Amino acid sequence: MKYINLIILLCFTLLAINFVRYPLLNISSIFSLNIPENNSKIEVSELLKKAADYCRKLESSSLFFVCKEKIIERIYYSIPEKSKPYLRKGVFTWGYLIEDFKIHKYIYDYQLIRVGDYIQEKRDLLEEDGKKQHLKNAPLKTKIFENKYVLFGPIGLISNEAQNHHEYKLIKEEKINGLKCLVLHAIPRSSSPKNHLFGKVWVSKEDGSVLKIHWDQESIGNYEKILEIADKLNAKPNITLISEYNVEKKGIRFPSTCYSKEEYIHPRYGNITVSETQVSYSDYRYFVVETEVKFRKDDS
């Protein structure tokens, strides 16, 4: 018992020494204290109002821009209808290994025009696997990943209408490129529409704009197909889909990167990556970026 008392006394002595050495040190800097729940709720509520305003601006903007879209797609395995496990070079896997893996690289001129309710997205293929191309109005040639209207991703998560269909859980505070963000998990309500994307969103504390979205795998459009593959492999899906918005113009944040990874986790054999896609957007050329916020009567 005396040893326990001695240890307790020593702990308090060390604390007292720290207070003497650092008079500005307070108890909250020694013990990790959580933000009071009421304060965090108020902070999230205020941030969601800013986010709704940002989405109004994004929804009502007139846009015309072109940028370089560079895509690297790696396909490691194809999963046939009847997959059987086998060993190759001492490594356990399923399906057919395609020359260790196939890699394809594409460079597009990506163009988006938005005027009122009219939206047009198109691509001109400039390069494929290192070979120059000049294909106008080209299709997106990726086999796995398909990205459409990435710019408008935040609207489905934190717009005024989207907030009616989600609950928001505060995860943490984080900095991205020096900007303070709150990381919120948007969770669909039981009454919310089905087949829509949801996930974690990094929202700027300054203006409510979105810097990053990590989509939940259950919300991906072809998730049923992913579950079928996982069932064949007796594994669990672990799909990563991330969009980042680090390019800013007139208060609007444009896509900078998208990343997807199709992976399955087997209880015995570990992780198996089937495909991986990296997309980067650069060299933006803006012809029109005009923002006009329109408020409805019930928003005032």
Short mmCIF file of all heavy atoms in Angstrom, two decimals, residues 230-273:
data_model
loop_
_atom_site.label_atom_id
_atom_site.label_comp_id
_atom_site.label_asym_id
_atom_site.label_seq_id
_atom_site.Cartn_x
_atom_site.Cartn_y
_atom_site.Cartn_z
N ALA A 230 -16.96 -10.89 -53.77
CA ALA A 230 -16.48 -11.21 -52.42
C ALA A 230 -17.01 -12.56 -51.96
O ALA A 230 -16.29 -13.34 -51.33
CB ALA A 230 -16.90 -10.11 -51.45
N ASP A 231 -18.27 -12.85 -52.30
CA ASP A 231 -18.86 -14.12 -51.91
C ASP A 231 -18.15 -15.29 -52.60
O ASP A 231 -17.90 -16.34 -51.97
CB ASP A 231 -20.35 -14.13 -52.27
CG ASP A 231 -21.07 -15.37 -51.76
OD1 ASP A 231 -21.04 -15.61 -50.54
OD2 ASP A 231 -21.63 -16.10 -52.60
N LYS A 232 -17.80 -15.12 -53.85
CA LYS A 232 -17.07 -16.17 -54.58
C LYS A 232 -15.70 -16.42 -53.97
O LYS A 232 -15.20 -17.55 -53.96
CB LYS A 232 -16.90 -15.77 -56.05
CG LYS A 232 -18.19 -15.77 -56.86
CD LYS A 232 -17.93 -15.23 -58.26
CE LYS A 232 -19.23 -15.13 -59.03
NZ LYS A 232 -19.02 -14.52 -60.36
N LEU A 233 -15.10 -15.36 -53.46
CA LEU A 233 -13.75 -15.48 -52.89
C LEU A 233 -13.77 -15.82 -51.40
O LEU A 233 -12.71 -15.96 -50.79
CB LEU A 233 -12.99 -14.16 -53.08
CG LEU A 233 -12.84 -13.66 -54.52
CD1 LEU A 233 -12.08 -12.35 -54.54
CD2 LEU A 233 -12.13 -14.69 -55.37
N ASN A 234 -15.00 -15.91 -50.83
CA ASN A 234 -15.12 -16.13 -49.39
C ASN A 234 -14.33 -15.06 -48.63
O ASN A 234 -13.60 -15.34 -47.69
CB ASN A 234 -14.63 -17.52 -49.00
CG ASN A 234 -14.98 -17.89 -47.57
OD1 ASN A 234 -15.97 -17.40 -47.02
ND2 ASN A 234 -14.16 -18.72 -46.94
N ALA A 235 -14.49 -13.82 -49.08
CA ALA A 235 -13.74 -12.69 -48.51
C ALA A 235 -14.67 -11.51 -48.28
O ALA A 235 -15.85 -11.54 -48.67
CB ALA A 235 -12.61 -12.30 -49.46
N LYS A 236 -14.15 -10.47 -47.65
CA LYS A 236 -14.90 -9.25 -47.41
C LYS A 236 -14.36 -8.14 -48.31
O LYS A 236 -13.15 -7.97 -48.44
CB LYS A 236 -14.79 -8.82 -45.94
CG LYS A 236 -15.49 -9.75 -44.97
CD LYS A 236 -15.40 -9.21 -43.55
CE LYS A 236 -16.14 -10.12 -42.57
NZ LYS A 236 -16.05 -9.60 -41.17
N PRO A 237 -15.25 -7.35 -48.93
CA PRO A 237 -14.77 -6.25 -49.77
C PRO A 237 -14.19 -5.12 -48.93
O PRO A 237 -14.65 -4.86 -47.82
CB PRO A 237 -16.03 -5.79 -50.51
CG PRO A 237 -17.16 -6.18 -49.61
CD PRO A 237 -16.71 -7.43 -48.91
N ASN A 238 -13.18 -4.49 -49.46
CA ASN A 238 -12.58 -3.32 -48.82
C ASN A 238 -12.27 -2.32 -49.93
O ASN A 238 -11.16 -2.26 -50.45
CB ASN A 238 -11.30 -3.71 -48.06
CG ASN A 238 -10.71 -2.55 -47.30
OD1 ASN A 238 -11.43 -1.71 -46.78
ND2 ASN A 238 -9.39 -2.49 -47.24
N ILE A 239 -13.29 -1.54 -50.30
CA ILE A 239 -13.20 -0.64 -51.45
C ILE A 239 -12.89 0.77 -50.97
O ILE A 239 -13.54 1.29 -50.07
CB ILE A 239 -14.51 -0.63 -52.26
CG1 ILE A 239 -14.97 -2.06 -52.55
CG2 ILE A 239 -14.36 0.18 -53.53
CD1 ILE A 239 -13.98 -2.88 -53.35
N THR A 240 -11.89 1.38 -51.59
CA THR A 240 -11.52 2.76 -51.29
C THR A 240 -11.89 3.65 -52.47
O THR A 240 -11.57 3.33 -53.61
CB THR A 240 -10.00 2.87 -51.02
OG1 THR A 240 -9.65 2.03 -49.93
CG2 THR A 240 -9.61 4.31 -50.70
N LEU A 241 -12.57 4.74 -52.19
CA LEU A 241 -12.91 5.72 -53.22
C LEU A 241 -12.83 7.12 -52.61
O LEU A 241 -13.63 7.46 -51.75
CB LEU A 241 -14.31 5.44 -53.78
CG LEU A 241 -14.80 6.33 -54.92
CD1 LEU A 241 -13.84 6.27 -56.10
CD2 LEU A 241 -16.19 5.93 -55.36
N ILE A 242 -11.83 7.89 -53.05
CA ILE A 242 -11.54 9.19 -52.45
C ILE A 242 -11.50 10.27 -53.54
O ILE A 242 -10.88 10.08 -54.59
CB ILE A 242 -10.19 9.17 -51.70
CG1 ILE A 242 -10.25 8.16 -50.54
CG2 ILE A 242 -9.84 10.55 -51.17
CD1 ILE A 242 -8.91 7.95 -49.85
N SER A 243 -12.14 11.39 -53.28
CA SER A 243 -12.07 12.57 -54.15
C SER A 243 -11.48 13.72 -53.35
O SER A 243 -11.87 13.95 -52.20
CB SER A 243 -13.46 12.97 -54.66
OG SER A 243 -14.10 11.88 -55.29
N GLU A 244 -10.55 14.47 -53.95
CA GLU A 244 -9.95 15.63 -53.30
C GLU A 244 -10.16 16.87 -54.16
O GLU A 244 -10.12 16.80 -55.39
CB GLU A 244 -8.46 15.39 -53.04
CG GLU A 244 -8.20 14.25 -52.06
CD GLU A 244 -6.74 14.13 -51.66
OE1 GLU A 244 -5.91 14.88 -52.21
OE2 GLU A 244 -6.43 13.29 -50.79
N TYR A 245 -10.34 18.01 -53.47
CA TYR A 245 -10.66 19.26 -54.13
C TYR A 245 -9.70 20.35 -53.64
O TYR A 245 -10.02 21.13 -52.76
CB TYR A 245 -12.11 19.67 -53.82
CG TYR A 245 -13.13 18.63 -54.22
CD1 TYR A 245 -13.45 17.56 -53.38
CD2 TYR A 245 -13.79 18.69 -55.44
CE1 TYR A 245 -14.37 16.59 -53.74
CE2 TYR A 245 -14.73 17.74 -55.82
CZ TYR A 245 -15.01 16.69 -54.96
OH TYR A 245 -15.93 15.73 -55.32
N ASN A 246 -8.53 20.38 -54.23
CA ASN A 246 -7.48 21.30 -53.77
C ASN A 246 -7.17 22.41 -54.76
O ASN A 246 -6.15 23.09 -54.64
CB ASN A 246 -6.20 20.52 -53.44
CG ASN A 246 -6.36 19.63 -52.23
OD1 ASN A 246 -7.00 20.01 -51.26
ND2 ASN A 246 -5.83 18.42 -52.29
N VAL A 247 -8.04 22.59 -55.75
CA VAL A 247 -7.88 23.68 -56.73
C VAL A 247 -9.03 24.65 -56.51
O VAL A 247 -10.20 24.26 -56.57
CB VAL A 247 -7.88 23.16 -58.17
CG1 VAL A 247 -7.72 24.31 -59.16
CG2 VAL A 247 -6.77 22.13 -58.38
N GLU A 248 -8.71 25.92 -56.24
CA GLU A 248 -9.75 26.90 -55.90
C GLU A 248 -9.78 28.05 -56.90
O GLU A 248 -8.75 28.54 -57.34
CB GLU A 248 -9.50 27.43 -54.48
CG GLU A 248 -10.60 28.31 -53.93
CD GLU A 248 -10.39 29.79 -54.27
OE1 GLU A 248 -9.24 30.16 -54.53
OE2 GLU A 248 -11.39 30.54 -54.27
N LYS A 249 -11.00 28.44 -57.28
CA LYS A 249 -11.21 29.60 -58.16
C LYS A 249 -12.52 30.26 -57.79
O LYS A 249 -13.59 29.65 -57.84
CB LYS A 249 -11.24 29.13 -59.63
CG LYS A 249 -11.44 30.24 -60.65
CD LYS A 249 -10.19 31.06 -60.84
CE LYS A 249 -10.34 32.03 -62.00
NZ LYS A 249 -9.12 32.85 -62.20
N LYS A 250 -12.44 31.53 -57.37
CA LYS A 250 -13.61 32.32 -57.01
C LYS A 250 -14.50 31.60 -55.99
O LYS A 250 -15.72 31.61 -56.08
CB LYS A 250 -14.42 32.68 -58.26
CG LYS A 250 -13.71 33.63 -59.19
CD LYS A 250 -14.61 34.09 -60.32
CE LYS A 250 -13.92 35.10 -61.21
NZ LYS A 250 -14.80 35.56 -62.32
N GLY A 251 -13.85 30.97 -55.01
CA GLY A 251 -14.60 30.33 -53.93
C GLY A 251 -15.12 28.95 -54.25
O GLY A 251 -15.72 28.31 -53.39
N ILE A 252 -14.91 28.47 -55.48
CA ILE A 252 -15.32 27.12 -55.86
C ILE A 252 -14.10 26.21 -55.85
O ILE A 252 -13.03 26.57 -56.35
CB ILE A 252 -15.94 27.11 -57.28
CG1 ILE A 252 -17.19 27.98 -57.32
CG2 ILE A 252 -16.26 25.68 -57.70
CD1 ILE A 252 -18.34 27.47 -56.49
N ARG A 253 -14.26 25.04 -55.28
CA ARG A 253 -13.16 24.07 -55.21
C ARG A 253 -13.35 23.01 -56.31
O ARG A 253 -14.38 22.35 -56.38
CB ARG A 253 -13.09 23.41 -53.84
CG ARG A 253 -12.65 24.38 -52.77
CD ARG A 253 -12.08 23.71 -51.54
NE ARG A 253 -11.27 24.68 -50.79
CZ ARG A 253 -10.00 24.88 -50.98
NH1 ARG A 253 -9.35 24.15 -51.87
NH2 ARG A 253 -9.34 25.79 -50.28
N PHE A 254 -12.30 22.89 -57.14
CA PHE A 254 -12.32 21.98 -58.27
C PHE A 254 -11.52 20.72 -57.94
O PHE A 254 -10.62 20.75 -57.11
CB PHE A 254 -11.74 22.68 -59.51
CG PHE A 254 -12.58 23.83 -60.01
CD1 PHE A 254 -12.47 25.09 -59.42
CD2 PHE A 254 -13.47 23.65 -61.05
CE1 PHE A 254 -13.25 26.15 -59.86
CE2 PHE A 254 -14.26 24.71 -61.49
CZ PHE A 254 -14.14 25.96 -60.91
N PRO A 255 -11.84 19.59 -58.60
CA PRO A 255 -11.14 18.34 -58.31
C PRO A 255 -9.65 18.44 -58.57
O PRO A 255 -9.22 19.05 -59.56
CB PRO A 255 -11.80 17.33 -59.27
CG PRO A 255 -13.10 17.95 -59.66
CD PRO A 255 -12.89 19.43 -59.62
N SER A 256 -8.87 17.82 -57.70
CA SER A 256 -7.42 17.73 -57.91
C SER A 256 -6.99 16.28 -58.10
O SER A 256 -6.15 15.98 -58.95
CB SER A 256 -6.67 18.35 -56.73
OG SER A 256 -7.11 17.79 -55.50
N THR A 257 -7.58 15.36 -57.34
CA THR A 257 -7.28 13.93 -57.49
C THR A 257 -8.51 13.08 -57.17
O THR A 257 -9.38 13.49 -56.40
CB THR A 257 -6.13 13.48 -56.55
OG1 THR A 257 -6.51 13.72 -55.19
CG2 THR A 257 -4.83 14.18 -56.87
N CYS A 258 -8.54 11.91 -57.77
CA CYS A 258 -9.48 10.86 -57.40
C CYS A 258 -8.69 9.56 -57.30
O CYS A 258 -7.77 9.33 -58.09
CB CYS A 258 -10.59 10.69 -58.44
SG CYS A 258 -11.80 12.01 -58.43
N TYR A 259 -9.05 8.74 -56.35
CA TYR A 259 -8.32 7.48 -56.15
C TYR A 259 -9.31 6.38 -55.81
O TYR A 259 -10.22 6.58 -54.99
CB TYR A 259 -7.31 7.62 -55.01
CG TYR A 259 -6.60 6.34 -54.65
CD1 TYR A 259 -5.59 5.82 -55.45
CD2 TYR A 259 -6.97 5.63 -53.50
CE1 TYR A 259 -4.96 4.62 -55.12
CE2 TYR A 259 -6.34 4.44 -53.17
CZ TYR A 259 -5.33 3.94 -53.97
OH TYR A 259 -4.72 2.77 -53.65
N SER A 260 -9.16 5.23 -56.46
CA SER A 260 -10.01 4.09 -56.14
C SER A 260 -9.15 2.84 -56.03
O SER A 260 -8.15 2.69 -56.74
CB SER A 260 -11.10 3.88 -57.19
OG SER A 260 -10.54 3.39 -58.40
N LYS A 261 -9.57 1.94 -55.14
CA LYS A 261 -8.85 0.67 -54.94
C LYS A 261 -9.87 -0.41 -54.64
O LYS A 261 -10.68 -0.28 -53.71
CB LYS A 261 -7.85 0.80 -53.79
CG LYS A 261 -6.97 -0.43 -53.58
CD LYS A 261 -5.96 -0.17 -52.46
CE LYS A 261 -5.00 -1.32 -52.28
NZ LYS A 261 -4.02 -1.05 -51.20
N GLU A 262 -9.84 -1.47 -55.44
CA GLU A 262 -10.73 -2.61 -55.23
C GLU A 262 -9.93 -3.72 -54.57
O GLU A 262 -9.01 -4.28 -55.17
CB GLU A 262 -11.29 -3.09 -56.56
CG GLU A 262 -12.27 -4.26 -56.42
CD GLU A 262 -12.72 -4.80 -57.77
OE1 GLU A 262 -12.26 -4.29 -58.81
OE2 GLU A 262 -13.52 -5.76 -57.77
N GLU A 263 -10.29 -4.03 -53.35
CA GLU A 263 -9.52 -4.97 -52.54
C GLU A 263 -10.48 -5.89 -51.79
O GLU A 263 -11.59 -5.49 -51.43
CB GLU A 263 -8.65 -4.19 -51.54
CG GLU A 263 -7.72 -5.02 -50.70
CD GLU A 263 -6.89 -4.13 -49.77
OE1 GLU A 263 -7.49 -3.45 -48.92
OE2 GLU A 263 -5.66 -4.13 -49.91
N TYR A 264 -10.03 -7.14 -51.58
CA TYR A 264 -10.82 -8.10 -50.84
C TYR A 264 -9.95 -8.71 -49.74
O TYR A 264 -8.78 -8.99 -49.97
CB TYR A 264 -11.36 -9.19 -51.78
CG TYR A 264 -12.26 -8.62 -52.84
CD1 TYR A 264 -11.74 -8.17 -54.06
CD2 TYR A 264 -13.63 -8.49 -52.62
CE1 TYR A 264 -12.56 -7.62 -55.02
CE2 TYR A 264 -14.45 -7.93 -53.58
CZ TYR A 264 -13.92 -7.51 -54.78
OH TYR A 264 -14.73 -6.95 -55.73
N ILE A 265 -10.56 -8.92 -48.58
CA ILE A 265 -9.81 -9.41 -47.42
C ILE A 265 -10.29 -10.81 -47.07
O ILE A 265 -11.46 -11.02 -46.75
CB ILE A 265 -9.99 -8.47 -46.21
CG1 ILE A 265 -9.56 -7.05 -46.58
CG2 ILE A 265 -9.18 -8.97 -45.03
CD1 ILE A 265 -9.85 -6.03 -45.50
N HIS A 266 -9.36 -11.75 -47.16
CA HIS A 266 -9.67 -13.15 -46.82
C HIS A 266 -9.20 -13.42 -45.39
O HIS A 266 -8.12 -12.98 -44.99
CB HIS A 266 -8.96 -14.09 -47.79
CG HIS A 266 -9.43 -15.51 -47.70
ND1 HIS A 266 -8.95 -16.38 -46.76
CD2 HIS A 266 -10.36 -16.20 -48.41
CE1 HIS A 266 -9.55 -17.56 -46.91
NE2 HIS A 266 -10.41 -17.47 -47.90
N PRO A 267 -10.00 -14.13 -44.59
CA PRO A 267 -9.64 -14.34 -43.18
C PRO A 267 -8.34 -15.13 -43.00
O PRO A 267 -7.68 -15.00 -41.98
CB PRO A 267 -10.83 -15.12 -42.62
CG PRO A 267 -11.52 -15.71 -43.80
CD PRO A 267 -11.30 -14.73 -44.91
N ARG A 268 -7.97 -15.91 -44.03
CA ARG A 268 -6.76 -16.72 -43.90
C ARG A 268 -5.60 -16.18 -44.74
O ARG A 268 -4.45 -16.18 -44.30
CB ARG A 268 -7.05 -18.17 -44.31
CG ARG A 268 -5.84 -19.09 -44.22
CD ARG A 268 -6.21 -20.51 -44.56
NE ARG A 268 -5.05 -21.39 -44.53
CZ ARG A 268 -5.08 -22.67 -44.88
NH1 ARG A 268 -6.22 -23.22 -45.28
NH2 ARG A 268 -3.99 -23.41 -44.83
N TYR A 269 -5.92 -15.69 -45.95
CA TYR A 269 -4.86 -15.35 -46.89
C TYR A 269 -4.61 -13.85 -47.02
O TYR A 269 -3.78 -13.42 -47.81
CB TYR A 269 -5.19 -15.94 -48.26
CG TYR A 269 -5.35 -17.44 -48.22
CD1 TYR A 269 -6.62 -18.01 -48.35
CD2 TYR A 269 -4.27 -18.27 -48.00
CE1 TYR A 269 -6.78 -19.39 -48.29
CE2 TYR A 269 -4.42 -19.64 -47.93
CZ TYR A 269 -5.68 -20.20 -48.08
OH TYR A 269 -5.84 -21.56 -48.01
N GLY A 270 -5.33 -13.05 -46.26
CA GLY A 270 -5.05 -11.62 -46.24
C GLY A 270 -5.66 -10.84 -47.38
O GLY A 270 -6.68 -11.23 -47.95
N ASN A 271 -5.03 -9.70 -47.70
CA ASN A 271 -5.58 -8.75 -48.66
C ASN A 271 -5.21 -9.12 -50.10
O ASN A 271 -4.06 -9.46 -50.38
CB ASN A 271 -5.08 -7.34 -48.36
CG ASN A 271 -5.54 -6.85 -47.00
OD1 ASN A 271 -6.10 -7.60 -46.23
ND2 ASN A 271 -5.31 -5.59 -46.73
N ILE A 272 -6.19 -8.98 -50.98
CA ILE A 272 -5.94 -9.19 -52.40
C ILE A 272 -6.44 -7.95 -53.14
O ILE A 272 -7.64 -7.64 -53.13
CB ILE A 272 -6.67 -10.43 -52.93
CG1 ILE A 272 -6.12 -11.68 -52.24
CG2 ILE A 272 -6.50 -10.55 -54.44
CD1 ILE A 272 -6.86 -12.92 -52.56
N THR A 273 -5.53 -7.22 -53.76
CA THR A 273 -5.89 -6.04 -54.54
C THR A 273 -6.18 -6.47 -55.97
O THR A 273 -5.32 -7.03 -56.64
CB THR A 273 -4.76 -5.00 -54.52
OG1 THR A 273 -4.49 -4.63 -53.17
CG2 THR A 273 -5.15 -3.76 -55.31
#
